[in-house]
Structure formats: C-alpha cells, structure tokens
Amino acid sequence: MPTRREQARAETTEKILAAARAQLAEVGAAALSLRAVTREVGLVSSAVYRYFPSRDELLTALIIEAYDAVGAAAEEADSGDTALARWVSVWRAVRRWAQENPAPYALIYGSPVPGYAAPADTLPAAGRVATVLARIAIEAGGPVAEPPPAVRNALAPDLLPGLTADLAPAAIAAFTQLFGTVGFELFGQYENVVADRDVFFDHVARTAGAACGL
C-alpha cells in the first residue's frame, strides 16, 4: 500500500497533469507554460519543480501518456475473425481515439514543439500501435511485393522481431498511411475532398493491409 506521502504526491502529480492537459487543449503544446499550470493547481512556483523540474519533463509525461492511451486503444481493438478484420479494427480504434482526443493526438503526431526533443524513454510507448499492426501482419504471413534492394537498405535493421526485410517497407508505409490519413481528417485537410470519411478510411486501411499481405 502506498504511504500517505506517496498518495499525496500521486494526487498532486495527477492535478498537475490534468491542468497541463487542459492547457494543451486550450493553447497547444508550443505555448504550454509550467508557470500557468502551477497557478491553475494552486502551488507556489518552487513547489511544482519537485514534480516536474522543467516544461520539457512535463511535455514528456504528457507525450508518454498520449502514446500509451492510443497504444492501449489499439491493443484492445485487436480482435476479429480474420487478420484483415483485426487490422481494420485497430485502424478504426486509432482514428476514434484521435477524434476523441484531438489535443493529445496533435501533441504526438502534429507539429513538433520548438526547442523540445523527445527523450528515448518515450520510444516504448510510441511503438505500441506499430507493434500491434506488425504482429497482425507477421501472424498473417501473406505474400508481399519484394521491395527493391535500395528500399531494403534504406531501413534500419531489426526493427521488430519477425518483421522481415520484405514486409518491413510495406509495414512502415502502412503505419505512415494510418497516421497521415487520421491527421489529414483531424486537421481539416479533407474538407471539400473526401465526402464520406468512414468509407474512405476503411478503403485506405484495407489497401494498406493488402500491401502487408492481409
């Protein structure tokens, strides 16, 4: 059981994160202010630094939180009678999460925050959606087009266990298509272009899945 001090620290940390989420939705990541968050929570300026020593550390916590949330949505949606059904279900879950959480989505897949560089400890959370999609494609084991040698050599080796050199380019392209399509819709790039977003999204998902052998 956590001690009373540990419980109080956890509660204060959550209050800080909640205030930061609200500010993120209101002004965006680039304008996120640790001082403004401090005022919202009711702490003195010196106190908040015991929880988050800098704005960048607060951003990192929000980024990991967002990656974990969309990753959990993808993992929970991995179900269906066929590999393609599982694949489309995961794509839909990512899109639904983005629609329900536009500010966190913009934080992790929108414009970079000036002056901020994400540390390596964000990588495990950032890879959760990709891991789900790669697992589906690997388990399906369907045929994929053999990429040219230059494309093979363009990718880093050993990206994920079981991801072959033939499958990797299609998988990375599919991952890019997923978040590109979601982002285009979320940020208004499909206005006067795509009338039925649901139908078009599923088409992109299935086309990307076919390229991955589903």
Side-chain angles (χ1 to χ4, degrees):
M1 294 289 293
T3 64
R4 182 173 298 179
R5 176 177 294 180
E6 290 170 339
Q7 186 174 355
R9 182 177 180 83
E11 290 173 355
T12 302
T13 299
E14 177 51 36
K15 288 179 182 178
I16 294 170
L17 288 172
R21 290 185 210 110
Q23 190 180 126
L24 185 68
E26 182 178 350
V27 301
L32 183 68
S33 166
L34 197 56
R35 287 182 179 274
V37 169
T38 301
R39 289 195 300 269
E40 181 67 26
V41 176
L43 294 173
V44 296
S45 298
S46 59
V48 75
Y49 293 106
R50 295 199 296 267
Y51 298 86
F52 296 98
S54 68
R55 183 211 65 161
D56 284 4
E57 292 203 24
L58 179 58
L59 269 176
T60 296
L62 293 171
I63 286 168
I64 292 174
E65 181 180 71
Y67 275 132
D68 276 332
V70 69
E75 291 160 1
E76 292 169 6
D78 181 9
S79 63
D81 296 334
T82 66
L84 183 58
R86 293 167 58 195
W87 177 276
V88 172
S89 178
V90 170
W91 274 55
R92 288 174 176 171
V94 170
R95 178 181 180 232
R96 184 166 54 251
W97 182 88
Q99 291 171 335
E100 294 171 354
N101 302 274
Y105 183 89
L107 174 64
I108 54 178
Y109 292 114
S111 300
V113 179
Y116 173 81
D121 55 1
T122 61
L123 294 177
R128 288 176 67 172
V129 175
T131 299
V132 174
L133 293 174
R135 180 174 64 240
I136 295 170
I138 291 166
E139 291 175 358
V144 295
E146 183 177 350
V151 175
R152 286 170 173 254
N153 295 334
L155 304 182
D158 304 323
L159 291 170
L160 287 170
L163 193 65
T164 65
D166 284 349
L167 177 58
I172 294 173
F175 185 73
T176 305
Q177 286 176 290
L178 167 59
F179 289 103
T181 305
V182 170
F184 261 49
E185 179 181 2
L186 195 65
F187 303 137
Q189 302 301 319
Y190 283 153
E191 292 299 322
N192 301 317
V193 177
V194 179
D196 193 326
R197 312 284 171 78
D198 295 340
V199 170
F200 182 74
F201 183 82
D202 283 359
H203 167 73
V204 176
R206 292 190 175 96
T207 301
C212 291
L214 307 186

